[in-house]
């Protein structure tokens, strides 16, 4: 159609501007906007499509707001538009729909709609967005959060950043939204979530809440719930007899299961509606095609929260997968997300696209790093990690345990004092299996060492997370052969490291190198580096294997946690569940006479009897 240059162009009529959000259900709205000229309705959608064709934002960059811009409509008539106002509208709406304006109404989620309210309401005193959208304006969010009280039956005092996290989750639930709590590891995501569950129960919600976590973390949820929220009824859906407990699901407050069991038990979970569905370590569903990712999408819940210190481990597609579980459709299909955001951001470094994505999901992600909240953290935080041995490792452990138990009892009956040596050798072998099966020489050709180690795999994931957080890490082990295995892994991962063992001649030089920031990880054997070193560059300590003497363990921790340390120190203790390692830990906690003698290194004076043998050389607990 020819442009009609002779005819006087139409002029935008600000006084007739009207915008309206039409509720489409489930948090989605369609936008109807436009203005009248001489009784003729001009819809916003085709005008924005024309502005995109004209490359309006680029052409008008730097022009005064009040200046007018001429476009030609499909019928050839001209139309002048105020530059400033339409730059604001096109920028806000364009970023949300990737500047693709079709003939269909613009469909927005209420989170997106709240971000364009200001641009749409300009000069329209009658514009009144739905209450559901108004609540999401920043001023409302701030006021609303400040009015949310902590549940009275939470047995803990929340730090200010934890209070903010709890209030943020409450805000999401109150507005039928779902999000990702992405705090660094060790900042209390579990406790914040327990406070949230307590508050939801106080509101009268009767449905159970379901927490899905890695196998090694499930028991931690049980411990923390018993400690901080003892009024909540917790049901663990793990173990061979777990199916008997599904009948109690409707009457529980928190049901705990693992990603490993979810798919197997899906038929049971699908029969129950949940109030809150929590995915801990939610990066487990980062691959949308994986079985577990498909399974969680089949669960029915009113409210969903993802917990993850690393919601994006490799690429933005992982973030899309989490949001496809939380709020399907918000980030479009995987293909449109790749085209709109992932490719421009990852391959072209497009900051505008990155800002648009941040604007879209920003209110739904809360992330605090350890550095940001350092002033609120205690000087030292200890975090135990219970790790389950693999099936092959359990078989090896049980074979060695039963054989050594027999040897010790025989030695005790025949030779008395020599039984101490056999007993120590038995404990050594069992502890080595817990660290890594390659450490132990069983002498049993029928039971070769399993190819993998659950604890070592756990350490690798932990180190990966700490590297992303840019932590400086000390790793302590009593076994130099274990440090060598860890060293090979660090080389493969191109992680900078130093190693100090009894064979090291340059102790002070290594210390100075680490203190000057030359390495991310410092591998240290107990005997060589447990005392006498100042390593305040480190803010993280990992005890790979528990030590008999807790005082020695504390001395090693104090390499980092000492005068001159200006950062909070996090201490991770890796313990294999149900094994001699956990029993050592339990003995430390109980401060029993057995513990006193073993843990003060007076093991030769330990009186070997059935109680001692039955405790330390007992089979793995289920």
């Amino acid at each position: 159609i020819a442009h009609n240059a002779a005819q006087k162009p139409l002029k935008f009529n600000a006084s007739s501007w009207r915008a309206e959000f039409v509720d489409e259900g489930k948090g989605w709205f369609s936008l109807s906007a436009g203005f009248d000229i001489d009784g003729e309705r001009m819809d916003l959608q085709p005008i924005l499509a024309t502005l995109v064709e004209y490359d309006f934002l680029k052409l008008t960059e730097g022009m005064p707001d009040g200046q007018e811009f001429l476009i030609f409509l499909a019928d050839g008539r001209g139309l002048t538009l105020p530059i400033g106002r339409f730059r604001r509208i096109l920028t806000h709406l364009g970023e949300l729909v990737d500047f693709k304006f079709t003939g269909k109404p613009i469909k927005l989620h209420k989170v997106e709609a709240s971000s364009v309210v200001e641009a749409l309401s300009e000069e329209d005193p009658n514009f009144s967005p739905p209450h559901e959208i108004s609540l999401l304006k920043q001023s409302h969010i701030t006021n609303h959060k400040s009015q949310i009280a902590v549940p009275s039956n939470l047995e803990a005092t929340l730090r200010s950043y934890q209070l903010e996290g709890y209030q943020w989750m409450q805000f999401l639930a109150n507005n039928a939204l779902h999000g990702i709590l992405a705090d660094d590891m060790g900042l209390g995501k579990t406790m914040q979530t327990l406070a949230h569950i307590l508050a939801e129960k106080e509101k009268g919600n009767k449905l159970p809440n379901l927490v899905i976590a890695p196998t090694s973390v499930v028991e931690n949820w049980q411990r923390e719930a018993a400690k901080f929220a003892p009024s909540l009824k917790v049901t663990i859906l793990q173990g061979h007899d777990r199916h008997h407990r599904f009948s109690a699901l409707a009457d529980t407050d928190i049901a705990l299961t693992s990603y490993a069991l979810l798919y197997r038990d899906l038929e049971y979970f699908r029969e129950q509606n949940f109030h809150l569905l929590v995915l801990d370590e939610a990066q487990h569903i980062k691959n949308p095609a994986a079985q577990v990712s498909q399974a969680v999408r089949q669960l029915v819940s009113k409210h969903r929260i993802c917990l993850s210190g690393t919601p994006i481990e490799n690429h933005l597609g992982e973030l899309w997968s989490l949001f496809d579980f939380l709020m399907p459709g918000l980030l479009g299909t995987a293909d449109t997300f790749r085209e709109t955001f992932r490719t421009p951001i990852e391959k072209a470094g497009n900051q505008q696209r990155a800002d648009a994505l941040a604007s879209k999901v920003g209110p739904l992600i809360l992330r605090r790093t350890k550095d940001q909240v350092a002033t609120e953290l205690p000087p030292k935080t200890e975090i135990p990690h219970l790790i389950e041995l693999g099936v092959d490792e359990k078989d090896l452990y049980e074979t060695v345990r039963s054989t050594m138990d027999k040897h010790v009892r025989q030695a005790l009956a025949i030779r008395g004092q020599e039984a101490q040596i056999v007993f120590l050798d038995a404990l050594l072998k069992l502890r080595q299996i817990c660290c890594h099966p390659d450490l132990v020489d069983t002498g049993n050709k029928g039971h070769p060492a399993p190819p993998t180690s659950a604890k070592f795999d756990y350490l690798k994931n932990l180190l990966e997370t700490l590297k992303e957080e840019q932590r400086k890490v000390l790793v302590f082990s009593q076994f130099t052969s274990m440090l060598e295995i860890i060293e090979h892994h660090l080389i493969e991962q191109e992680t900078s490291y130093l190693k100090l063992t009894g064979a090291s001649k340059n102790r002070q030089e290594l210390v100075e190198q680490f203190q000057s920031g030359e390495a991310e990880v410092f591998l240290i054997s107990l005997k060589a580096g447990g005392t006498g070193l100042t390593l305040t560059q480190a803010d993280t300590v990992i005890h790979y294997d528990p030590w008999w003497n807790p005082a020695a363990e504390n001395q090693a921790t104090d390499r980092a946690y000492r005068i001159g340390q200006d950062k909070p120190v996090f201490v991770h203790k890796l313990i294999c569940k149900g094994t001699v390692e956990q029993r050592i830990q339990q003995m430390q906690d109980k401060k029993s006479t057995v513990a006193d003698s073993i843990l003060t290194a007076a093991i030769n004076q330990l009186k070997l009897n059935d109680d001692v043998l039955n405790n330390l050389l007992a089979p793995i607990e289920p």
Side-chain angles (χ1 to χ4, degrees), residues 24 44 65 179 196 203 223 247 261 282 316 324-325 327 329 348 352 387 404 410 426 432 441 493 523 570 587 612:
E24 301 280 346
L44 180 64
D65 274 14
H196 178 49
K203 292 178 193 172
R223 281 196 308 274
S247 58
L261 293 175
L316 285 172
D324 190 55
F325 158 73
M327 298 172 70
Q352 187 184 16
I387 300 156
M404 298 305 288
Q410 287 171 350
Q432 286 174 324
D441 177 14
Q493 297 300 305
L523 305 175
F570 285 78
M587 288 163 64
V612 173

mmCIF file of all heavy atoms in Angstrom, residues 24 44 65 179 196 203 223 247 261 282 316 324-325 327 329 348 352 387 404 410 426 432 441 493 523 570 587 612:
data_model
loop_
_atom_site.group_PDB
_atom_site.id
_atom_site.type_symbol
_atom_site.label_atom_id
_atom_site.label_comp_id
_atom_site.label_asym_id
_atom_site.label_seq_id
_atom_site.Cartn_x
_atom_site.Cartn_y
_atom_site.Cartn_z
ATOM 1 N N GLU A 24 -6.616 -14.434 32.335
ATOM 2 C CA GLU A 24 -6.749 -15.683 31.569
ATOM 3 C C GLU A 24 -6.698 -16.913 32.477
ATOM 4 O O GLU A 24 -6.783 -18.045 32.020
ATOM 5 C CB GLU A 24 -5.612 -15.785 30.529
ATOM 6 C CG GLU A 24 -5.569 -14.648 29.528
ATOM 7 C CD GLU A 24 -6.588 -14.823 28.411
ATOM 8 O OE1 GLU A 24 -7.141 -15.927 28.266
ATOM 9 O OE2 GLU A 24 -6.842 -13.840 27.694
ATOM 10 N N LEU A 44 -2.604 -1.180 20.109
ATOM 11 C CA LEU A 44 -1.162 -1.024 20.342
ATOM 12 C C LEU A 44 -0.335 -2.063 19.580
ATOM 13 O O LEU A 44 0.738 -1.751 19.058
ATOM 14 C CB LEU A 44 -0.886 -1.152 21.855
ATOM 15 C CG LEU A 44 0.568 -1.024 22.305
ATOM 16 C CD1 LEU A 44 1.105 0.376 21.993
ATOM 17 C CD2 LEU A 44 0.694 -1.314 23.800
ATOM 18 N N ASP A 65 12.493 13.235 24.541
ATOM 19 C CA ASP A 65 11.257 12.503 24.800
ATOM 20 C C ASP A 65 10.057 13.096 24.069
ATOM 21 O O ASP A 65 9.200 12.374 23.562
ATOM 22 C CB ASP A 65 10.957 12.491 26.317
ATOM 23 C CG ASP A 65 11.661 11.341 27.015
ATOM 24 O OD1 ASP A 65 12.562 10.740 26.387
ATOM 25 O OD2 ASP A 65 11.315 11.046 28.174
ATOM 26 N N GLY A 179 9.519 -20.169 43.287
ATOM 27 C CA GLY A 179 10.838 -19.602 43.013
ATOM 28 C C GLY A 179 11.998 -20.469 43.449
ATOM 29 O O GLY A 179 11.838 -21.603 43.920
ATOM 30 N N HIS A 196 9.255 -21.576 56.779
ATOM 31 C CA HIS A 196 8.190 -21.361 55.788
ATOM 32 C C HIS A 196 7.097 -22.428 55.943
ATOM 33 O O HIS A 196 5.900 -22.116 55.939
ATOM 34 C CB HIS A 196 8.822 -21.409 54.394
ATOM 35 C CG HIS A 196 7.870 -21.255 53.257
ATOM 36 N ND1 HIS A 196 6.938 -20.254 53.194
ATOM 37 C CD2 HIS A 196 7.708 -22.000 52.127
ATOM 38 C CE1 HIS A 196 6.240 -20.370 52.065
ATOM 39 N NE2 HIS A 196 6.683 -21.432 51.416
ATOM 40 N N LYS A 203 -1.221 -21.152 58.995
ATOM 41 C CA LYS A 203 -2.328 -20.553 58.229
ATOM 42 C C LYS A 203 -3.498 -21.519 58.072
ATOM 43 O O LYS A 203 -4.540 -21.152 57.538
ATOM 44 C CB LYS A 203 -1.841 -20.162 56.828
ATOM 45 C CG LYS A 203 -0.851 -19.015 56.779
ATOM 46 C CD LYS A 203 -0.438 -18.811 55.324
ATOM 47 C CE LYS A 203 0.779 -17.919 55.204
ATOM 48 N NZ LYS A 203 1.280 -17.892 53.815
ATOM 49 N N ARG A 223 17.029 -34.471 60.770
ATOM 50 C CA ARG A 223 17.719 -33.926 61.942
ATOM 51 C C ARG A 223 17.361 -32.463 62.169
ATOM 52 O O ARG A 223 17.080 -32.036 63.288
ATOM 53 C CB ARG A 223 19.245 -34.062 61.767
ATOM 54 C CG ARG A 223 19.794 -35.437 62.040
ATOM 55 C CD ARG A 223 21.308 -35.388 62.228
ATOM 56 N NE ARG A 223 21.994 -34.717 61.138
ATOM 57 C CZ ARG A 223 22.377 -35.319 60.020
ATOM 58 N NH1 ARG A 223 22.151 -36.605 59.846
ATOM 59 N NH2 ARG A 223 22.991 -34.650 59.072
ATOM 60 N N SER A 247 0.825 -45.019 53.597
ATOM 61 C CA SER A 247 -0.558 -44.889 54.077
ATOM 62 C C SER A 247 -0.695 -43.733 55.065
ATOM 63 O O SER A 247 -1.786 -43.191 55.262
ATOM 64 C CB SER A 247 -1.010 -46.190 54.744
ATOM 65 O OG SER A 247 -0.142 -46.511 55.818
ATOM 66 N N LEU A 261 14.605 -42.532 44.500
ATOM 67 C CA LEU A 261 13.409 -43.350 44.722
ATOM 68 C C LEU A 261 12.139 -42.745 44.109
ATOM 69 O O LEU A 261 11.125 -43.432 43.991
ATOM 70 C CB LEU A 261 13.178 -43.549 46.225
ATOM 71 C CG LEU A 261 14.229 -44.396 46.953
ATOM 72 C CD1 LEU A 261 13.950 -44.408 48.456
ATOM 73 C CD2 LEU A 261 14.258 -45.824 46.408
ATOM 74 N N ALA A 282 18.290 -28.713 43.653
ATOM 75 C CA ALA A 282 17.368 -28.824 42.517
ATOM 76 C C ALA A 282 18.073 -28.974 41.178
ATOM 77 O O ALA A 282 17.426 -29.286 40.170
ATOM 78 C CB ALA A 282 16.437 -27.598 42.481
ATOM 79 N N LEU A 316 22.548 -21.848 30.549
ATOM 80 C CA LEU A 316 21.252 -21.275 30.920
ATOM 81 C C LEU A 316 20.089 -22.237 30.710
ATOM 82 O O LEU A 316 19.025 -22.050 31.296
ATOM 83 C CB LEU A 316 21.005 -19.991 30.118
ATOM 84 C CG LEU A 316 21.806 -18.764 30.556
ATOM 85 C CD1 LEU A 316 21.615 -17.625 29.560
ATOM 86 C CD2 LEU A 316 21.387 -18.326 31.949
ATOM 87 N N ASP A 324 10.716 -24.447 34.155
ATOM 88 C CA ASP A 324 9.674 -25.231 33.496
ATOM 89 C C ASP A 324 8.956 -26.118 34.512
ATOM 90 O O ASP A 324 7.787 -26.435 34.353
ATOM 91 C CB ASP A 324 10.279 -26.096 32.385
ATOM 92 C CG ASP A 324 9.210 -26.735 31.522
ATOM 93 O OD1 ASP A 324 8.369 -25.987 30.984
ATOM 94 O OD2 ASP A 324 9.198 -27.982 31.393
ATOM 95 N N PHE A 325 9.662 -26.497 35.588
ATOM 96 C CA PHE A 325 9.030 -27.208 36.701
ATOM 97 C C PHE A 325 8.248 -26.239 37.579
ATOM 98 O O PHE A 325 7.110 -26.512 37.970
ATOM 99 C CB PHE A 325 10.097 -27.936 37.528
ATOM 100 C CG PHE A 325 9.675 -28.241 38.941
ATOM 101 C CD1 PHE A 325 8.745 -29.238 39.208
ATOM 102 C CD2 PHE A 325 10.185 -27.502 40.011
ATOM 103 C CE1 PHE A 325 8.335 -29.507 40.515
ATOM 104 C CE2 PHE A 325 9.789 -27.764 41.313
ATOM 105 C CZ PHE A 325 8.853 -28.773 41.566
ATOM 106 N N MET A 327 7.201 -22.862 37.024
ATOM 107 C CA MET A 327 6.147 -22.055 36.400
ATOM 108 C C MET A 327 6.173 -22.290 34.888
ATOM 109 O O MET A 327 6.704 -21.469 34.127
ATOM 110 C CB MET A 327 6.363 -20.563 36.722
ATOM 111 C CG MET A 327 6.290 -20.289 38.222
ATOM 112 S SD MET A 327 6.745 -18.614 38.697
ATOM 113 C CE MET A 327 5.377 -17.700 38.065
ATOM 114 N N GLY A 329 5.859 -22.324 31.087
ATOM 115 C CA GLY A 329 5.417 -21.291 30.147
ATOM 116 C C GLY A 329 6.044 -19.938 30.384
ATOM 117 O O GLY A 329 6.116 -19.119 29.464
ATOM 118 N N ALA A 348 26.877 -14.560 22.153
ATOM 119 C CA ALA A 348 27.137 -13.197 21.669
ATOM 120 C C ALA A 348 27.374 -12.210 22.810
ATOM 121 O O ALA A 348 27.686 -11.048 22.571
ATOM 122 C CB ALA A 348 25.971 -12.723 20.787
ATOM 123 N N GLN A 352 21.747 -6.797 26.746
ATOM 124 C CA GLN A 352 20.327 -6.429 26.752
ATOM 125 C C GLN A 352 19.455 -7.664 26.998
ATOM 126 O O GLN A 352 18.488 -7.628 27.752
ATOM 127 C CB GLN A 352 19.948 -5.784 25.421
ATOM 128 C CG GLN A 352 18.529 -5.236 25.417
ATOM 129 C CD GLN A 352 18.124 -4.683 24.055
ATOM 130 O OE1 GLN A 352 18.775 -4.973 23.050
ATOM 131 N NE2 GLN A 352 17.069 -3.902 24.022
ATOM 132 N N ILE A 387 27.110 -39.826 54.092
ATOM 133 C CA ILE A 387 27.206 -40.354 52.738
ATOM 134 C C ILE A 387 26.946 -41.851 52.770
ATOM 135 O O ILE A 387 27.514 -42.576 53.591
ATOM 136 C CB ILE A 387 28.611 -40.071 52.158
ATOM 137 C CG1 ILE A 387 28.859 -38.559 52.116
ATOM 138 C CG2 ILE A 387 28.770 -40.680 50.772
ATOM 139 C CD1 ILE A 387 30.318 -38.172 52.124
ATOM 140 N N MET A 404 37.418 -59.806 59.650
ATOM 141 C CA MET A 404 38.257 -59.212 60.693
ATOM 142 C C MET A 404 37.632 -59.410 62.076
ATOM 143 O O MET A 404 38.349 -59.593 63.067
ATOM 144 C CB MET A 404 38.464 -57.714 60.417
ATOM 145 C CG MET A 404 39.191 -57.411 59.117
ATOM 146 S SD MET A 404 40.792 -58.235 58.963
ATOM 147 C CE MET A 404 41.796 -57.344 60.144
ATOM 148 N N GLN A 410 39.185 -64.403 67.617
ATOM 149 C CA GLN A 410 40.098 -65.546 67.769
ATOM 150 C C GLN A 410 41.368 -65.121 68.501
ATOM 151 O O GLN A 410 41.841 -65.804 69.415
ATOM 152 C CB GLN A 410 40.451 -66.123 66.393
ATOM 153 C CG GLN A 410 39.317 -66.903 65.754
ATOM 154 C CD GLN A 410 39.616 -67.289 64.307
ATOM 155 O OE1 GLN A 410 40.594 -66.814 63.719
ATOM 156 N NE2 GLN A 410 38.774 -68.143 63.732
ATOM 157 N N ALA A 426 41.893 -54.073 61.701
ATOM 158 C CA ALA A 426 40.510 -54.178 61.223
ATOM 159 C C ALA A 426 39.888 -52.797 61.048
ATOM 160 O O ALA A 426 39.275 -52.491 60.020
ATOM 161 C CB ALA A 426 39.685 -55.016 62.208
ATOM 162 N N GLN A 432 39.543 -47.292 55.581
ATOM 163 C CA GLN A 432 40.066 -47.097 54.225
ATOM 164 C C GLN A 432 38.987 -47.366 53.172
ATOM 165 O O GLN A 432 38.883 -46.647 52.183
ATOM 166 C CB GLN A 432 41.273 -48.011 53.997
ATOM 167 C CG GLN A 432 42.521 -47.543 54.724
ATOM 168 C CD GLN A 432 43.671 -48.531 54.597
ATOM 169 O OE1 GLN A 432 43.446 -49.750 54.594
ATOM 170 N NE2 GLN A 432 44.887 -48.020 54.500
ATOM 171 N N ASP A 441 44.089 -53.118 50.779
ATOM 172 C CA ASP A 441 44.515 -54.363 50.163
ATOM 173 C C ASP A 441 43.846 -55.491 50.938
ATOM 174 O O ASP A 441 44.287 -55.876 52.024
ATOM 175 C CB ASP A 441 46.047 -54.505 50.235
ATOM 176 C CG ASP A 441 46.520 -55.832 49.653
ATOM 177 O OD1 ASP A 441 45.713 -56.507 48.970
ATOM 178 O OD2 ASP A 441 47.691 -56.213 49.891
ATOM 179 N N GLN A 493 40.686 -31.641 36.589
ATOM 180 C CA GLN A 493 39.752 -30.515 36.570
ATOM 181 C C GLN A 493 40.444 -29.169 36.373
ATOM 182 O O GLN A 493 39.783 -28.126 36.375
ATOM 183 C CB GLN A 493 38.969 -30.474 37.903
ATOM 184 C CG GLN A 493 38.092 -31.685 38.146
ATOM 185 C CD GLN A 493 37.055 -31.859 37.055
ATOM 186 O OE1 GLN A 493 36.284 -30.947 36.766
ATOM 187 N NE2 GLN A 493 37.042 -33.030 36.436
ATOM 188 N N LEU A 523 45.910 -29.598 49.840
ATOM 189 C CA LEU A 523 45.774 -30.959 50.361
ATOM 190 C C LEU A 523 46.797 -31.157 51.478
ATOM 191 O O LEU A 523 47.991 -30.931 51.270
ATOM 192 C CB LEU A 523 46.019 -31.989 49.257
ATOM 193 C CG LEU A 523 45.156 -31.861 47.990
ATOM 194 C CD1 LEU A 523 45.587 -32.879 46.945
ATOM 195 C CD2 LEU A 523 43.682 -32.031 48.328
ATOM 196 N N PHE A 570 33.859 -22.293 57.107
ATOM 197 C CA PHE A 570 32.910 -23.409 57.023
ATOM 198 C C PHE A 570 33.686 -24.719 57.058
ATOM 199 O O PHE A 570 34.643 -24.912 56.300
ATOM 200 C CB PHE A 570 32.084 -23.308 55.739
ATOM 201 C CG PHE A 570 31.030 -22.244 55.809
ATOM 202 C CD1 PHE A 570 31.370 -20.899 55.655
ATOM 203 C CD2 PHE A 570 29.706 -22.560 56.056
ATOM 204 C CE1 PHE A 570 30.409 -19.906 55.748
ATOM 205 C CE2 PHE A 570 28.736 -21.574 56.148
ATOM 206 C CZ PHE A 570 29.087 -20.248 55.995
ATOM 207 N N MET A 587 30.447 -41.712 69.065
ATOM 208 C CA MET A 587 31.212 -41.853 70.302
ATOM 209 C C MET A 587 31.728 -40.489 70.761
ATOM 210 O O MET A 587 31.741 -40.175 71.946
ATOM 211 C CB MET A 587 32.373 -42.838 70.094
ATOM 212 C CG MET A 587 31.908 -44.289 69.984
ATOM 213 S SD MET A 587 33.165 -45.367 69.252
ATOM 214 C CE MET A 587 34.454 -45.263 70.458
ATOM 215 N N VAL A 612 32.630 -53.260 72.871
ATOM 216 C CA VAL A 612 33.498 -52.509 71.961
ATOM 217 C C VAL A 612 33.466 -53.122 70.566
ATOM 218 O O VAL A 612 33.304 -52.434 69.551
ATOM 219 C CB VAL A 612 34.939 -52.464 72.502
ATOM 220 C CG1 VAL A 612 35.869 -51.841 71.472
ATOM 221 C CG2 VAL A 612 34.988 -51.694 73.802
#
